[in-house]
């Protein structure tokens, strides 16, 4: 999705500036949230909460999904959609903004300057760190909205207000350190593999 959007927003020299990179990342994140992330994250969070409860009711993955759909309908796999769209949209917007900015800085006046995979990995880790500090509060709200106790919240806004009132500002940054370690490595690997796959594809089908 990012590639599709960025191909329509590059200038005559083939450059994608930081602002357009942010918008393309936002579009990619929203599409990702609706099609993939929200249903998968909702199921994952429900399973985690179920398995840590005194009496787990899901016997396995397929049984759990079947029970969720039977009890709550398809919307049971789309709890916290607004929070997920906000979280994933801002997540990818931040990552691609930082990544595009760093790439443009590194390449200077030559948009076709090749990038070493190691440099790409370092830039990816920086972009990952920026996204963690930028949207961990939204990730906390999203997780609460998708859990088994999501019924306590009227909507995304109410969830955020309740967390702030009952647990304070620090609650929005729970899990930041472990998430930082995972996300930096994750994003670094993703961008390196992505760039190498694009290089390979360009030999048979140009994507830049």
């Amino acid at each position: 999705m990012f590639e599709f959007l960025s191909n329509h927003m590059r200038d005559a020299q083939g450059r994608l500036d930081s602002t357009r990179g942010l918008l393309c990342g936002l579009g990619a994140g929203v599409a990702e949230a609706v099609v993939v992330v929200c249903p998968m994250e909702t199921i994952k969070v429900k399973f985690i909460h179920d398995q840590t409860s005194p009496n787990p009711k899901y016997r396995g993955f397929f049984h759990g999904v079947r029970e969720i759909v039977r009890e709550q309908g398809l919307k049971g796999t789309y709890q916290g959609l607004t929070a997920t769209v906000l979280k994933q949209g801002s997540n990818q917007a931040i990552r691609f903004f930082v990544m595009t900015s760093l790439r443009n800085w590194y390449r200077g006046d030559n948009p076709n300057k090749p990038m070493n995979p190691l440099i790409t990995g370092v830039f990816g880790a920086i972009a990952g760190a920026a996204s963690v500090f930028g949207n961990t509060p939204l990730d906390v709200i999203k997780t609460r909205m998708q859990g088994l106790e999501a019924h306590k919240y009227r909507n995304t806004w109410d969830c955020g207000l309740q967390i702030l009132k009952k647990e304070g500002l620090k609650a929005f940054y729970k899990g930041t350190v472990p998430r930082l370690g995972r996300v930096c490595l994750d994003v670094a690997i993703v961008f390196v593999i992505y760039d190498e796959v694009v290089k390979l594809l360009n030999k048979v089908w140009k994507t830049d």
Side-chain angles (χ1 to χ4, degrees):
M1 178 57 74
F2 177 82
E3 199 68 32
F4 170 77
L5 294 172
S6 65
N7 282 340
H8 289 80
M9 297 186 77
R10 295 181 189 275
D11 60 22
Q13 286 74 44
R15 287 175 63 93
L16 183 72
D17 64 36
S18 302
T19 304
R20 291 180 179 182
L22 184 146
L23 293 173
C24 291
L26 178 63
V30 170
E32 180 185 29
V34 174
V35 178
V36 179
V37 177
C38 189
M40 293 304 295
E41 284 284 301
T42 302
I43 292 168
K44 181 196 78 173
V45 172
K46 285 181 186 292
F47 266 74
I48 291 171
H49 287 192
D50 178 69
Q51 293 305 306
T52 55
S53 67
N55 300 302
K57 61 181 180 178
Y58 303 144
R59 295 194 299 269
F61 177 76
F62 293 107
H63 176 258
V65 172
R66 191 164 64 246
E67 286 298 299
I68 291 168
V69 174
R70 184 179 67 80
E71 293 173 7
Q72 304 169 35
L74 198 59
K75 70 176 183 179
T77 64
Y78 269 90
Q79 283 180 282
L81 179 60
T82 302
T84 306
V85 167
L86 290 172
K87 180 257 178 179
Q88 209 62 25
S90 63
N91 203 29
Q92 301 300 1
I94 293 168
R95 287 178 188 176
F96 280 105
F97 172 78
V98 172
M99 196 66 185
T100 303
S101 299
L102 291 172
R103 276 177 172 160
N104 288 343
W105 167 77
Y106 179 78
R107 286 172 168 163
D109 296 326
N110 181 11
N112 297 314
K113 181 180 178 180
M115 285 187 65
N116 184 291
L118 183 61
I119 299 295
T120 301
V122 171
F123 287 174
I126 294 170
S131 70
V132 168
F133 288 114
N135 83 342
T136 289
L138 288 170
D139 191 47
V140 170
I141 293 171
K142 175 194 72 69
T143 301
R144 298 286 183 93
M145 288 294 291
Q146 290 172 334
L148 295 178
E149 296 186 348
H151 61 274
K152 295 195 301 186
Y153 311 116
R154 291 196 303 272
N155 50 45
T156 301
W157 181 252
D158 179 59
C159 178
L161 283 177
Q162 285 199 42
I163 292 171
L164 183 62
K165 286 178 182 176
K166 296 176 181 178
E167 302 172 54
L169 204 58
K170 286 196 298 184
F172 288 109
Y173 280 91
K174 283 182 178 178
T176 298
V177 174
R179 187 174 176 231
L180 190 64
R182 180 189 66 79
V183 170
C184 287
L185 190 59
D186 177 14
V187 178
I189 292 170
V190 166
F191 273 115
V192 169
I193 293 174
Y194 170 73
D195 272 11
E196 295 308 303
V197 169
V198 168
K199 288 175 187 174
L200 183 64
L201 287 175
N202 279 339
K203 295 179 180 178
V204 290
W205 179 34
K206 192 161 181 64
T207 55
D208 278 330

